[in-house]
Amino acid sequence: MHGYEMIQEIAERSGGAWKPSPGSVYPTLQLLEDEGLIVSEAEGGKKLFALTESGRSAAEEGPDAPWEEAGRGVDWETLHEIRQAGFGLMEAFGQVWKTGSKGQRDKALAVINDARKKLYLILADED
């Protein structure tokens, strides 16, 4: 796989609970290649990575895959509700930002900032 494909695959296998950044994936791939656990070859201007025999052995002997751990104990229904609420909020904010007057955009920004503060107050057990 290419590095980007790996990022997408990890996100899919973890049910969206973990999506590593390119800044963590590519240095890790280089380290694994330096250690002889993977090899790479150029394909269409990108690097295609594959396990070596020693890499395959290390993977079989190692702990559970991190994407499995990331998905354990996740309440998928609640996670979906949270994401939908967040996406809905940002969609509404974006609409106000694109079509609203300066005064409306200022009010929308104040609502977002107030909501962020209120969320942190929940953690502080304050109303």
Side-chain angles (χ1 to χ4, degrees):
M1 276 186 206
H2 302 291
Y4 178 76
E5 291 171 318
M6 290 181 203
I7 292 169
Q8 298 304 317
E9 184 71 18
I10 291 168
E12 186 177 314
R13 288 186 185 194
S14 70
W18 178 39
K19 184 175 181 183
S21 70
S24 65
V25 169
Y26 290 104
T28 302
L29 289 171
Q30 185 60 56
L31 177 66
L32 292 171
E33 190 169 23
D34 291 347
E35 292 179 357
L37 299 173
I38 62 173
V39 292
S40 67
E41 66 179 57
E43 179 185 274
K46 296 182 179 181
K47 278 188 173 182
L48 181 66
F49 296 92
L51 286 170
T52 62
E53 282 304 314
S54 58
R56 215 172 279 291
S57 295
E60 290 172 3
E61 295 170 8
D64 288 344
W67 53 82
E68 292 173 5
E69 180 65 32
R72 283 193 190 114
V74 174
D75 180 346
W76 297 109
E77 187 174 325
T78 300
L79 181 61
H80 177 71
E81 289 175 15
I82 291 167
R83 285 186 175 160
Q84 289 302 109
F87 292 145
L89 176 63
M90 291 314 297
E91 186 176 320
F93 180 76
Q95 193 68 28
V96 171
W97 205 256
K98 289 177 189 172
T99 62
S101 67
K102 170 137 176 42
Q104 289 170 324
R105 288 193 304 266
D106 289 345
K107 286 180 185 178
L109 188 57
V111 167
I112 294 291
N113 285 329
D114 187 52
R116 179 179 46 82
K117 290 174 190 171
K118 286 182 177 180
L119 288 170
Y120 281 121
L121 286 174
I122 290 170
L123 290 176
D125 287 328
E126 296 181 18
D127 292 325

